[in-house]
């Protein structure tokens, strides 16, 4: 488990190389935040991939690619913060 207790962000995760990378990282123990504009494919990936895979929809509503990526990272970091908080309170 080379990525145990590590967090990985994979964009374009619903299919192809992104799906393969998600499966590999999750299989090595990482918490994987998988993002894609393909909501159905991303949700299926999160459901069916063994390990800790969380799907985050990537929205095309933003005016620029840079803005879209920044917003995605902010959402992912917020989710990670919630996860850390929950783990601390479970102890």
């Amino acid at each position: 488990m080379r990525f145990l207790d590590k967090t990985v962000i994979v964009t374009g995760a619903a299919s192809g190389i992104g799906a393969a990378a998600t499966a590999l990282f999750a299989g090595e123990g990482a918490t994987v935040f998988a993002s894609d504009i393909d909501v159905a494919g991303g949700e299926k990936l999160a459901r069916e991939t063994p390990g800790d895979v969380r799907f985050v929809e990537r929205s095309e509503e933003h005016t620029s690619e840079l803005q879209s990526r920044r917003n995605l990272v902010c959402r992912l970091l917020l989710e990670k913060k919630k996860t850390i908080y929950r783990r601390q309170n479970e102890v």
Side-chain angles (χ1 to χ4, degrees):
M1 294 268 184
R2 296 182 294 171
F3 289 92
L4 190 61
D5 296 326
K6 304 292 182 195
T7 300
V8 176
I9 299 171
V10 178
T11 59
S15 63
I17 293 171
T22 297
L24 287 171
F25 283 119
E28 288 290 337
T31 297
V32 182
F33 288 92
S35 176
D36 204 294
I37 59 173
D38 176 4
V39 176
E43 289 174 346
K44 180 180 179 189
L45 175 78
R47 247 189 343 268
E48 296 179 358
T49 303
D52 189 0
V53 177
R54 302 167 195 201
F55 176 68
V56 178
E57 178 182 1
R58 180 170 168 252
S59 174
E60 287 294 325
E61 296 174 2
H62 306 291
T63 57
S64 72
E65 181 69 17
L66 181 60
Q67 180 71 25
S68 180
R69 288 177 189 249
R70 184 185 69 78
N71 289 344
L72 170 64
V73 170
C74 289
R75 286 195 322 258
L76 295 173
L77 291 174
L78 179 61
E79 181 63 30
K80 179 64 178 172
K81 184 177 179 181
K82 290 178 188 175
T83 301
I84 291 169
Y85 178 77
R86 279 192 298 262
R87 286 183 184 163
Q88 290 173 344
N89 288 328
E90 290 174 359
V91 177

